[in-house]
Amino acid sequence: MKIVDARGLSCPEPLMLTAEALKSGEGPVKVLVSEPHQRTNVEKYAKDHGKKAVTRETGSEFEIVIQ
Amino acid sequence: MNLSDSKAKLTFAGIVCGLVAACLAYFGNPANMAFCIACFVRDTAGALGMHSAAAVQYARPEIIGLICGSFLIAVVTKEYRSTAGSSPMIRFILGIVIMVGSLVFLGCPLRMVIRMSAGDLNAWVALVGFILGVCTGVLALKNGFSLGRSHEANAGSGAVLPALMAGILILAVATPLLKFSESGPGSMHAPLMISLIGGLIFGAFAQKSRMCFAGSIRDIVLMKNFDLICVIGGVFVVMLVYNVAMGKFVLGFNTPGVIAHSEFLWNILGMYAVGFAAVLAGGCPLRQLILAGQGSSDAAVTVLGLFVGAALCHNFGLAASGTALNAETQEIVAGAVPAAGKIACVICILVCFVIGFTNKRKQ
């Protein structure tokens, strides 16, 4: 599974990296973010592009698997 | 509570913030300023004695309310994260650039939209510059621009700016230490409690909706995403209705009393600098205040840059003057950008290019 570590990056970098990862491969992508608004943005991006996103909270951070 | 996951909710947040701005204008804030981040930070810097422009000194409760409103809603909804460490001094410079550009144009992106809703065609001209600035920032992002990662900091670090803002409010209410304008824009304001409550509401809704003027255009250009522009649309429509209903809608250039000028090139370049710097900093001036409220020390440093930028603008004569009516002769005196302001604006744009194309994301 491809992992995108976008923790601590400013907007819109997490989305840009997520979009890049989704374009470059067919498999699922795991996105790591540290801010709640970035979690929402990534989840929404996945939904808007017909993908399923499952999020798990890990401490104060988020792990979103998109497939 | 999430106001950012649908266009309807985002539009609702924009309408609420527009209503707050309209109320503040109704209760006494300067014409077409209503709720301007750059102007109000500049006024607050003046109140603290950071500059001595007597007409623009007033500790604006709106700014205090915005930051504290964002802080409180972030704590309550468990979105408060104390973070720091993403190139703070570059962000400080970007804060200065944003303020210089704003005071060359005479308003932040929020005031640009408010001026647009009042028929001020100079603001529509400036919008061209703002969009071009955002597009240049997007180009830098596509080229790999990044200010690096922020990291978790001690919980108290993120609360420092909200605490300082609360301290300014206490100083303003309980001591004679702060300066207050006796005439000019700084003397025009809504009652303190209305301004403070308005700021708190605006701050809470802006935090939950992720309202960002630069981000809304950036998302359209970068990802064809029209979500954030809905918030801006809400603010624009409410202020348009208010201005028409109150007879304050005047279509034209060179309108006396709206604190604006008609130097097209500098309206464009001023907002170009703001749009470019805001994309590099990860958000417009309003968004910086909101991020600072929810715990980002990096955004707080950008806010400090806004304060220092305001002081530089007035101490070094960089800020533009607004078109005004001479009370004795009844002649219109055109507002203008001073030579020092033009030079500073060009330097700011060059600085943005250097920052935008030399800071790359580490692989």
Side-chain angles (χ1 to χ4, degrees):
Chain A
M1 186 185 303
K2 189 158 190 169
I3 296 176
V4 173
D5 185 359
R7 290 173 296 176
L9 294 176
S10 297
C11 285
E13 291 175 67
L15 269 193
M16 290 175 73
L17 295 176
T18 303
E20 207 175 288
L22 287 172
K23 272 182 198 160
S24 66
E26 289 297 311
V29 174
K30 185 191 280 185
V31 185
L32 310 176
V33 295
S34 46
E35 297 280 347
H37 65 268
Q38 291 168 350
R39 168 201 175 160
T40 310
N41 289 344
V42 172
E43 286 175 344
K44 193 162 185 313
Y45 182 87
K47 193 178 154 197
D48 289 347
H49 288 79
K51 308 269 185 189
K52 195 181 160 197
V54 178
T55 303
R56 193 165 68 90
E57 278 193 56
T58 51
S60 62
E61 299 173 343
F62 304 96
E63 196 179 280
I64 308 152
V65 176
I66 304 172
Q67 49 194 346
Chain B
M1 181 174 66
N2 187 349
L3 293 178
S4 66
D5 58 356
S6 78
K7 286 190 173 75
K9 287 182 187 174
L10 287 162
T11 307
F12 170 70
I15 289 171
V16 171
C17 291
L19 287 171
V20 170
C23 282
L24 292 169
Y26 179 80
F27 282 108
N29 278 7
N32 293 319
M33 208 173 271
F35 206 134
C36 171
I37 307 304
C39 309
F40 288 4
V41 166
R42 181 265 324 270
D43 291 354
T44 307
L48 294 169
M50 293 174 72
H51 66 73
S52 51
V56 285
Q57 294 173 323
Y58 175 56
R60 293 277 178 188
E62 290 88 347
I63 295 296
I64 298 163
L66 264 183
I67 294 174
C68 294
S70 168
F71 172 73
L72 292 172
I73 197 82
V75 169
V76 169
T77 59
K78 298 185 168 49
E79 290 197 347
Y80 176 80
R81 299 279 192 285
S82 179
T83 59
S86 169
S87 309
M89 287 315 291
I90 293 176
R91 292 178 185 275
F92 179 74
I93 298 294
L94 291 172
I96 293 176
V97 169
I98 289 171
M99 184 56 83
V100 171
S102 294
L103 293 182
V104 163
F105 161 65
L106 288 178
C108 68
L110 172 54
R111 182 169 186 237
M112 178 181 72
V113 171
I114 291 172
R115 280 173 54 180
M116 285 162 61
S117 74
D120 179 353
L121 296 176
N122 287 309
W124 288 91
V125 170
L127 176 65
V128 175
F130 186 64
I131 292 172
L132 290 174
V134 170
C135 289
T136 315
V138 167
L139 203 64
L141 282 169
K142 284 185 172 175
N143 203 40
F145 169 79
S146 177
L147 287 180
R149 296 178 195 276
S150 62
H151 302 277
E152 203 168 331
N154 289 354
S157 176
V160 169
L161 193 69
L164 286 176
M165 288 295 138
I168 292 174
L169 182 65
I170 292 167
L171 288 179
V173 173
T175 78
L177 292 171
L178 301 190
K179 298 177 191 302
F180 292 88
S181 296
E182 289 176 3
S183 62
S187 68
M188 300 157 74
H189 53 82
L192 188 144
M193 279 311 288
I194 292 178
S195 296
L196 183 62
I197 292 168
L200 287 167
I201 294 171
F202 202 119
F205 274 84
Q207 199 276 336
K208 298 316 292 180
S209 66
R210 331 297 188 203
M211 178 186 287
C212 178
F213 289 77
S216 63
I217 295 170
R218 178 201 66 204
D219 285 0
I220 292 172
V221 177
L222 190 62
M223 283 171 288
K224 314 269 183 298
N225 182 313
F226 290 78
D227 288 4
L228 274 181
I229 200 78
C230 295
V231 197
I232 315 305
V235 174
F236 176 80
V237 169
V238 171
M239 285 307 293
L240 180 65
V241 170
Y242 169 80
N243 284 315
V244 171
M246 300 298 290
K248 292 180 184 299
F249 184 87
V250 182
L251 193 67
F253 295 104
N254 263 334
T255 312
V258 298
I259 313 168
H261 63 80
S262 296
E263 294 198 351
F264 300 150
L265 177 65
W266 298 101
N267 279 328
I268 290 173
L269 290 181
M271 286 315 278
Y272 178 85
V274 174
F276 194 172
V279 170
L280 299 182
C284 69
L286 167 69
R287 184 75 181 139
Q288 296 300 327
L289 266 63
I290 299 302
L291 288 171
Q294 65 184 49
S296 167
S297 294
D298 293 320
V301 172
T302 312
V303 174
L304 296 182
L306 293 175
F307 273 84
V308 171
L312 292 175
C313 280
H314 286 284
N315 289 337
F316 298 158
L318 313 181
S321 60
T323 297
L325 193 67
N326 185 316
E328 287 179 11
T329 62
Q330 292 298 303
E331 284 177 358
I332 290 177
V333 181
V337 182
K342 292 173 182 174
I343 294 167
C345 186
V346 171
I347 292 172
C348 284
I349 291 170
L350 292 175
V351 166
C352 284
F353 272 99
V354 172
I355 292 174
F357 292 94
T358 57
N359 290 276
K360 302 279 183 184
R361 189 181 304 120
K362 291 186 178 71
Q363 295 299 321

